[in-house]
Every structure is written in structure tokens, then in C-alpha cells.
Amino acid sequence: MNTLLEPARKSAPKPPSDQPPTKRKRRRDRLPRIALYALLIAGALEALVPVLWVLSGSLQSAKQLYKGTDPIPHPFEWGNFVTAWNEGGFSHYLPNSLLYTSAAVLGILVIASLAGYALARIEFPGRGAVVGAILVIMIIPLPASFIAQYKLLIELGLANTRIGYILVLIAGGLPISILIMRGFFASQPKELEEAAAIDGASLLGTFWRIILPLAKPGLIAVAVIQAMSVWNEYLMGLVLFNDSSLMPVQRGLTNFVSADSPQQQILLAASLIAVLPIVVFYAIAQRHIISGLSAGALK
């Protein structure tokens, strides 16, 4: 009997064992990752090539740049940056942009954090309408409001002034910033505020001492986004300012845009000077953008 059952026992399938994957399976699993890395590298190179071209062109002479056969400068024309700084008036425009960016971003952070917290936590009639109005304002193109803003500044006596320009910058950056901060505050647990209320803290005290420190990633994300936007602004400055000495740094680039005497190598050097401060700021704070937005800013 045992002899008859033995072949059946031998032919019975064995339970699967935990064996390591074969080389073919490992290779198949690596293909999507390799394709993803290749795509990311290609995207990085696509973004990096124009930057390298600008850097190379800013260090070339006009003859070498227009010839366009050698991407490596020889010799390095460091004098292009000196010419760009002096002729472009960056000694005036760069401090202007630093002032405008710092003041506007600070104003946006204060107002957006307070408004975002109120829209996220305070129940009041018409809260949904306020959020809807903010969304409608975001749809309107910024140049469409230039005439109305300019007329308002004239009536307030703030036309052709630094304060008027900063107020316009703050107003332009508030809608998206309020929505980002509202989403961030809405994602925070209410238990912290309830515990603070039990301890006798006021609503403003809870916001200032507990909620605002927790909102650091969101605040940094808003600061970086708005700093880049304010730094690159030029159209409103062109409309608002009659005095060229009050213009932002982008005004210095237009000094080298001329059909009569093109100075492309100087323009490239001036572009690097204009973009360097905001690039350094972004490089320092860019990781906070991801953490701030992923923490609930877009929820």
C-alpha cells in the first residue's frame, strides 16, 4: 500500500519556497527605474543647457559670440560683467529690487497668514463667497488691472513712489498666498487650538504662539514663490514710475536691448547679475517649497 502511494507523493507539487528573484526578474524590475532616471536626467539637461549657454556667452567677446562656433570662451571676458554693472545702472536698480522684494514679501506673509487662518478656522457668514472672490481675482490677468491701480494710486498721492509700488506688489501676491496658507492651516489638527483654548489662550495668542510656528514650511513656500514673482516684475514698474532711478532691476536689462548697437554679450552678463540673488535665495530655500506645499498648502 505504501509502495503504491509513494509515486503519488513524489508527483505532488511542492509548496513554493521563498527563493531570491532571478537575474531576469531583477533586470525587468530595474527597467522602469532606469527609464525614470533617464527622463529626469534629460529634463535636467534641457533646463541646464540654456543656463550654460548664457554663462558661456557672457564670458565671450562680441566677435566670438556672433561667430557661434566655440562654446568655450577664449579668453574669458570678465570685463563684460563690469560693463554690465556700470552701464546697466545696477548699483541703483539692484538695491531697489532688494527693497521691493523684502518689503512686499514681508507684507504678503503677514496678511496672507492672518487671512488664511481666518478662512480656515473661523466660521463666519460669507466665508465661501470670500474664497470664491479670491479665485475670481486670480483669474483676472494682472495687466488688466494696471489702469485701475494707477488711477487709485494717483488719488492716494502714491503714484511714482516706492510705497505705492510695494502696495501694488502686495495686492498682486495676496490671492494665491492666502489660498496656500488657508490650505496649510486647514490641514493642521484642531486639537492643538482646543488645548490652548482650555489653557485660556486667546484666538490671536493661539495663532501667534502655536499655529504660526508650525506654519513655517508654508510660510517659506509662500516667501520663495512671491520673492521670485516680485523680483521678476517689470511691467507695473514701467507703468507706475516716471523716475527711472526708482525702477527695479529688470529695468537695467533694457539698457542693452538696442537694434542700433546690439551688445548681446553684455546683455547676457547683465542677465546673470540680475538673476543671481534670486537663484541663491531659491537654492537655499527650495527644499522648503516641497515640504511646505506637500504639508497641505494645495489641499
Side-chain angles (χ1 to χ4, degrees), residues 111-122 127 131 134-135 138 174-190 193 207 211 214-219 221-222 291-299:
I111 300 174
S113 59
L114 290 171
Y117 182 71
L119 292 174
R121 285 292 190 259
I122 301 176
R127 185 174 68 168
V131 176
I134 294 175
L135 292 174
M138 292 176 58
L174 278 179
I176 182 62
S177 302
I178 291 175
L179 291 181
I180 291 177
M181 295 308 302
R182 172 180 174 269
F184 187 87
F185 289 132
S187 67
Q188 301 302 309
K190 292 185 178 180
E193 299 161 68
F207 169 77
I211 302 302
L214 295 176
K216 180 181 176 181
L219 292 172
V222 170
S291 62
L293 296 179
S294 62
L298 294 182
K299 291 184 180 179

Side-chain angles (χ1 to χ4, degrees), residues 22-92:
T22 61
K23 286 186 177 181
R24 183 177 298 176
K25 185 178 180 180
R26 290 178 179 176
R27 192 176 302 167
R28 188 169 60 251
D29 293 341
R30 289 175 183 170
L31 287 178
R33 184 178 299 178
I34 294 174
L36 177 61
Y37 287 160
L39 183 62
L40 292 175
I41 292 173
L45 290 176
E46 183 181 3
L48 190 60
V49 166
V51 178
L52 294 178
W53 184 86
V54 172
L55 179 60
S56 172
S58 66
L59 293 172
Q60 296 181 20
S61 63
K63 181 179 180 180
Q64 184 183 1
L65 180 63
Y66 292 136
K67 190 176 181 181
T69 57
D70 192 355
I72 301 177
H74 55 82
F76 290 94
E77 299 288 344
W78 297 104
N80 291 343
F81 291 93
V82 178
T83 304
W85 179 271
N86 294 330
E87 295 185 8
F90 284 100
S91 59
H92 299 290

Side-chain angles (χ1 to χ4, degrees), residues 4-298:
L4 294 174
L5 293 175
E6 188 172 352
R9 291 174 181 172
K10 290 182 178 179
S11 61
K14 295 182 180 180
S17 58
D18 296 334
Q19 296 180 352
T22 61
K23 286 186 177 181
R24 183 177 298 176
K25 185 178 180 180
R26 290 178 179 176
R27 192 176 302 167
R28 188 169 60 251
D29 293 341
R30 289 175 183 170
L31 287 178
R33 184 178 299 178
I34 294 174
L36 177 61
Y37 287 160
L39 183 62
L40 292 175
I41 292 173
L45 290 176
E46 183 181 3
L48 190 60
V49 166
V51 178
L52 294 178
W53 184 86
V54 172
L55 179 60
S56 172
S58 66
L59 293 172
Q60 296 181 20
S61 63
K63 181 179 180 180
Q64 184 183 1
L65 180 63
Y66 292 136
K67 190 176 181 181
T69 57
D70 192 355
I72 301 177
H74 55 82
F76 290 94
E77 299 288 344
W78 297 104
N80 291 343
F81 291 93
V82 178
T83 304
W85 179 271
N86 294 330
E87 295 185 8
F90 284 100
S91 59
H92 299 290
Y93 299 135
L94 198 61
N96 287 344
S97 283
L98 290 174
L99 173 63
Y100 300 148
T101 303
S102 302
V105 170
L106 180 60
I108 290 172
L109 289 178
V110 172
I111 300 174
S113 59
L114 290 171
Y117 182 71
L119 292 174
R121 285 292 190 259
I122 301 176
E123 297 285 347
F124 59 90
R127 185 174 68 168
V130 173
V131 176
I134 294 175
L135 292 174
V136 171
I137 292 173
M138 292 176 58
I139 298 174
I140 301 174
L142 189 60
S145 62
F146 281 177
I147 297 177
Q149 289 176 341
Y150 187 64
K151 291 181 64 177
L152 179 61
L153 291 177
I154 291 177
E155 293 178 0
L156 296 175
L158 296 176
N160 197 36
T161 64
R162 300 182 190 274
I163 297 178
Y165 184 58
I166 292 173
L167 291 177
V168 170
L169 294 175
I170 292 175
L174 278 179
I176 182 62
S177 302
I178 291 175
L179 291 181
I180 291 177
M181 295 308 302
R182 172 180 174 269
F184 187 87
F185 289 132
S187 67
Q188 301 302 309
K190 292 185 178 180
E191 288 77 6
L192 294 173
E193 299 161 68
E194 294 172 354
I198 293 174
D199 291 338
S202 63
L203 184 63
L204 187 59
T206 301
F207 169 77
W208 181 257
R209 298 176 183 176
I210 299 176
I211 302 302
L212 196 60
L214 295 176
K216 180 181 176 181
L219 292 172
I220 295 178
V222 170
V224 173
I225 294 171
Q226 293 302 327
M228 295 176 65
S229 176
V230 172
W231 188 268
N232 293 322
E233 204 286 322
Y234 172 69
L235 288 178
M236 189 59 200
L238 189 63
V239 172
L240 180 63
F241 290 130
N242 298 325
D243 187 354
S244 178
S245 64
L246 300 177
M247 290 289 290
V249 70
Q250 307 303 325
R251 173 64 178 83
L253 302 180
T254 61
N255 293 335
F256 306 106
V257 181
S258 173
D260 299 329
S261 57
Q263 304 179 72
Q264 296 297 327
Q265 77 282 6
I266 308 299
L267 176 60
L268 294 177
S271 300
L272 286 179
I273 295 175
V275 80
L276 184 60
I278 201 65
V279 168
V280 172
F281 177 66
Y282 180 83
I284 295 174
Q286 58 88 20
R287 65 185 182 91
H288 294 287
I289 299 178
I290 301 174
S291 62
L293 296 179
S294 62
L298 294 182

